[in-house]
Amino acid sequence: QVWLVESGGGLVQVGGSLRLSCAASGLPFSEYCMGWFRQAPGKEREYLGAISWSGSSQYYADAVKGRFTISRDNAKNMVYLEMNSLKFEDTAVYYCAADRHIASMYNLRSDYWGQGTQVTVSS
């Protein structure tokens, strides 16, 4: 069984930083692209970005480009989302996902999803 477990969410002040982690198990991690998404109350799920299976390529949505960075450690089956210069509108539940095809994630499709971790940005 595949598990994706996010951690690192919490309460952070505007302008602050937070690093989310996603631990993967039950899949050949180094063969999967990994992505991050979020969903704010009353809004649809939003693609944030993705990283290739090797980690050599990263892609970001315009809303977070330059503020968020995705990285991965294939030896630890981990993927990370470093978030800087956080804004009120970054408040959401954040999800990681895994798929063999990175293009799928851009279309909000993925083979596997985590349960999410809450990020709240406050003043």
Side-chain angles (χ1 to χ4, degrees):
Q1 187 172 359
V2 175
W3 288 97
L4 301 177
V5 181
E6 303 92 340
S7 61
L11 183 65
V12 61
Q13 289 188 325
V14 169
S17 299
L18 206 59
R19 188 175 88 150
L20 304 184
S21 300
C22 173
S25 61
L27 77 169
F29 183 74
S30 63
E31 296 179 12
Y32 276 76
C33 303
M34 299 298 295
W36 284 95
F37 303 77
R38 69 186 178 190
Q39 188 164 17
K43 295 188 176 181
E44 295 184 350
R45 189 164 293 189
E46 177 185 15
Y47 164 83
L48 300 178
I51 187 167
S52 62
W53 60 268
S54 66
S56 61
S57 299
Q58 302 92 41
Y59 306 89
Y60 299 96
D62 289 343
V64 303
K65 196 175 295 182
R67 298 191 300 125
F68 289 11
T69 302
I70 299 173
S71 61
R72 67 188 294 162
D73 185 337
N74 284 351
K76 296 181 179 179
N77 285 12
M78 297 288 295
V79 64
Y80 306 97
L81 179 66
E82 184 77 33
M83 304 185 293
N84 298 309
S85 302
L86 284 162
K87 307 174 182 180
F88 289 122
E89 52 264 42
D90 293 319
T91 294
V93 177
Y94 283 70
Y95 301 88
C96 68
D99 198 284
R100 290 188 181 272
H101 306 290
I102 204 165
S104 297
M105 296 185 178
Y106 184 78
N107 294 310
L108 300 180
R109 294 194 300 267
S110 194
D111 288 341
Y112 304 106
W113 294 87
Q115 292 300 304
T117 185
Q118 175 71 46
V119 172
T120 303
V121 183
S122 67
S123 58

